[in-house]
Amino acid sequence: MKKLLRKAFNKQAPPPETGGRITNETVAEHRERVLAGGRKFKYPLQYTKHRVLIISIIIVVVTTLSFLGFCGWQLYNAQSTDKFIYSMTQFVPVPVAKVEGTWVRYSDYLLELRSAIHYLSTKEAVNFNSDDGKRQLDYQKRLAMDKSIENTLVAQLASQHHVAVSQKEVDDFIKQQISTNRLGVNETVYRQVIRDYYDWSFDEYKNSIRQQLLRKKVMAQLDTGSKQKINDILKGLQGGADFAAVAKEHSEDVATKAQGGDVGLVNKNTEDPNGIVAVAGQLEPGKFSQVIEGVDGFYIVKLLEKRDGGDLHIAKIYVGYKILDSKMAELKKSGQIQEFITVKQIDNPSKQ
């Protein structure tokens, strides 16, 4: 090492601007330059590690930025529904929209959209590359966007009014769905059906049920106008008013209103998230129920006839929840709903 230092020292040029005169200061400066160069020979590994660390950091930063840029392009430009992209949004809470200052998670939007795409492609054989299929896809995107925004708004309202859904309520609802399923399946088979039809894990299905029950609770509690209307209808029926006549005048169900609320025959094990079939099955023919708080509105159901084999002939009066629609319209008008991807407004292609 001493030989290397001496050799490096001998190769150094004479100190500048001294006129060849050597002083203590020029010797010190010259010696420091020589020692600095010599350290590279004495501590080569230290210098190498330092350079490797800097290069590694640069590579990590560039790779991370490239990955984020790629994912951002896939989400906000290509609007990919790929499973990898969906998985990424589950771990990274990127937004797809904003409502009253609250982010709407992209994962919630993709959960709804991917489920619809899976069902339509596997069960309805919809070709999304065809013109009709593209219109159907645009329609499903709009539905998924609206539902994810509405769910976020419902969660806001639930927090403000201290409304919650317990795990027991979710589990009880699922147990009821399994027990009333006409196929008589157990939970294991039911889980597979959920996966097969909706491409959901059971946890994703539970989350969907929780949101559904929360919406029902919030709307039933806050929609005082619709609640007053259905309560007035019930009082009229209890006072002797004709069910069919009242349904024709006041029911908001377009499909059954003209028939006096007559639904026709339904099986008692029919899957029914509103619970009206289960309530009807407990009535005596000719009797009507109390007010039922459904997922989409208030109901009063009447059992017209009970047949052997489990078929029920029922009629219903329906008053829909309106507070969510009015709240959404108000927020859109005031510009408090922002969407971060372009989703077309399109009517249901099946009705065109």
Side-chain angles (χ1 to χ4, degrees), residues 262-295:
D262 195 332
V263 176
L265 289 175
V266 296
N267 189 277
K268 66 178 181 180
N269 293 325
T270 297
E271 187 173 340
D272 173 35
N274 290 304
I276 64 173
V277 177
V279 172
Q282 299 172 2
L283 297 173
E284 293 296 326
K287 302 295 183 179
F288 56 83
S289 70
Q290 297 293 311
V291 173
I292 302 168
E293 296 178 355
V295 174

Side-chain angles (χ1 to χ4, degrees), residues 87-228:
S87 298
M88 189 274 292
T89 62
Q90 290 179 297
F91 290 99
V92 182
V94 293
V96 70
K98 186 165 68 173
V99 51
E100 285 193 305
T102 300
W103 299 120
V104 180
R105 291 186 55 143
Y106 213 122
S107 57
D108 293 340
Y109 165 74
L110 287 180
L111 178 68
E112 297 295 334
L113 180 57
R114 282 173 49 82
S115 173
I117 291 174
H118 176 80
Y119 177 83
L120 290 171
S121 60
T122 60
K123 306 305 176 186
E124 302 291 337
V126 173
N127 178 10
F128 291 110
N129 292 319
S130 67
D131 290 339
D132 287 340
K134 290 176 182 178
R135 283 193 292 271
Q136 183 67 265
L137 180 59
D138 286 338
Y139 176 68
Q140 294 302 327
K141 285 182 178 181
R142 186 70 261 165
L143 287 182
M145 177 65 79
D146 288 344
K147 187 171 183 180
S148 57
I149 290 174
E150 288 173 0
N151 285 341
T152 301
L153 179 57
V154 166
Q156 287 179 337
L157 294 172
S159 177
Q160 293 167 8
H161 296 274
H162 309 291
V163 180
V165 173
S166 69
Q167 185 60 50
K168 183 178 184 303
E169 289 176 289
V170 174
D171 292 339
D172 287 346
F173 181 89
I174 293 174
K175 287 177 182 178
Q176 182 184 26
Q177 293 295 101
I178 294 174
S179 64
T180 58
N181 190 289
R182 67 174 60 189
L183 300 177
V185 300
N186 57 31
E187 183 175 328
T188 301
V189 176
Y190 194 77
R191 285 171 177 258
Q192 185 56 47
V193 169
I194 295 300
R195 172 69 73 181
D196 184 41
Y197 274 74
Y198 305 110
D199 195 28
W200 282 346
S201 68
F202 211 60
D203 285 338
E204 289 172 330
Y205 173 65
K206 283 184 176 181
N207 183 57
S208 178
I209 295 300
R210 183 183 299 278
Q211 290 179 332
Q212 179 177 303
L213 294 178
L214 185 64
R215 176 183 294 225
K216 168 185 169 181
K217 272 192 171 185
V218 169
M219 295 303 101
Q221 178 173 317
L222 301 184
D223 202 332
T224 54
S226 296
K227 181 180 290 188
Q228 184 62 52

Side-chain angles (χ1 to χ4, degrees), residues 56-74:
S56 298
I57 292 174
I58 292 174
I59 292 174
V60 170
V61 170
V62 171
T63 302
T64 301
L65 291 176
S66 298
F67 175 74
L68 292 177
F70 169 76
C71 291
W73 184 85
Q74 286 287 309

